[in-house]
Amino acid sequence: MATATLPLRLLPSKTLALPLPLPASRCSLSVAAPVPRRWRRLLASAEEAAPAPVEAEAEAAVEEVEEEEVVEEVEEEAAVPEPVEAQLAAAGAGKDADIFAVVMIGSRQYIVMPGRYIYTQRLKGANVNDEIILNKVLLVSTRDKAYIGMPVVTNAAVHAVVEEQGRDDKVIVFKFKKKKKYQRKLGHRQPNTRLRITGISGYEDFPADPILEYVPA
């Protein structure tokens, strides 16, 4: 089979000669990509919704002024706590401010003073603002005398007012047995009662022991 060979014709190569250096205006090229129509709508709505910078600065300044006013009001409301003597006088303790007693409530003993408050175990049947009288007074002490009960001070009474019926903070009870895949987690809040002590009375007729002053050797 015969094969024919055709002459190849080479075309002259053309080169583009550019002047060097190129001007800066010609070196920078900018290509603007077409933006889809839905993107145009989103950009337009975002530009309309964006607040002006002046308005944003004004709003920030107003918010700072309001925060400063709130802080000043809180500082003014936070009053300095009064000393204990002033609190007792305001509570109506008067001359009984220098007296304290030991009273038994349930199976526990509490040191009480007029004007102070204590947390005790829940007193059933007591409502808020109820006035109660505690008769199991084990000891009454003043500045110069001590009335020691045998076992209680006869006719002595501690007057109190129920302020709150609440519960203690939660206590976590966790049980675990090793190698038995046993664990239990429980929470418990013990009910309590808050009592405000208003006065101590009825101890004057009980035999008293003088309190001797300590004289250093």
Side-chain angles (χ1 to χ4, degrees):
M1 182 176 181
T3 58
T5 58
L6 298 176
L8 298 177
R9 183 179 180 183
L10 299 176
L11 296 176
S13 60
K14 296 181 180 181
T15 58
L16 180 62
L18 297 176
L20 297 176
L22 294 175
S25 60
R26 296 182 182 180
C27 291
S28 61
L29 298 177
S30 60
V31 179
V35 181
R37 186 175 299 176
R38 59 178 183 179
W39 288 13
R40 294 177 187 174
R41 296 177 182 175
L42 293 175
L43 293 175
S45 61
E47 292 177 357
E48 292 178 358
V54 178
E55 295 178 358
E57 293 178 359
E59 292 178 358
V62 172
E63 291 179 357
E64 291 180 359
V65 172
E66 292 178 354
E67 290 179 357
E68 292 178 358
E69 293 178 354
V70 171
V71 171
E72 292 178 356
E73 291 179 358
V74 172
E75 291 179 355
E76 293 178 355
E77 292 178 358
V80 179
E82 298 179 355
V84 177
E85 292 78 5
Q87 294 181 14
L88 294 177
K95 63 180 181 180
D96 294 334
D98 298 328
I99 184 176
F100 72 90
V102 178
V103 63
M104 177 175 286
I105 303 175
S107 59
R108 300 181 181 181
Q109 299 178 8
Y110 301 88
I111 299 177
V112 297
M113 294 180 63
R116 304 289 183 88
Y117 65 87
I118 59 173
Y119 283 97
T120 67
Q121 58 188 355
R122 175 64 63 88
L123 301 179
K124 296 182 179 180
N127 299 323
V128 179
N129 297 329
D130 285 353
E131 296 182 359
I132 61 176
I133 298 176
L134 307 174
N135 294 322
K136 291 185 179 181
V137 182
L138 307 181
L139 180 142
V140 179
S141 178
T142 60
R143 280 186 175 273
D144 53 354
K145 294 181 180 179
Y147 302 85
I148 303 174
M150 297 179 295
V152 297
V153 179
T154 308
N155 298 328
V158 174
H159 303 268
V161 177
V162 179
E163 286 191 342
E164 180 184 357
Q165 294 279 19
R167 293 190 296 174
D168 292 337
D169 296 336
K170 180 179 288 187
V171 177
I172 302 300
V173 181
F174 185 78
K175 299 180 180 180
F176 173 78
K177 295 181 181 180
K178 62 179 182 179
K179 300 180 182 179
K180 301 295 183 181
K181 296 182 179 180
Y182 175 86
Q183 63 180 17
R184 297 291 184 271
K185 184 177 180 181
L186 303 174
H188 175 71
R189 297 186 65 184
Q190 183 70 21
N192 61 16
T193 301
R194 174 170 169 166
L195 299 178
R196 175 72 64 174
I197 307 301
T198 57
I200 302 172
S201 63
Y203 59 90
E204 293 84 358
D205 298 335
F206 193 81
D209 296 331
I211 298 178
L212 302 178
E213 296 183 359
Y214 173 74
V215 178

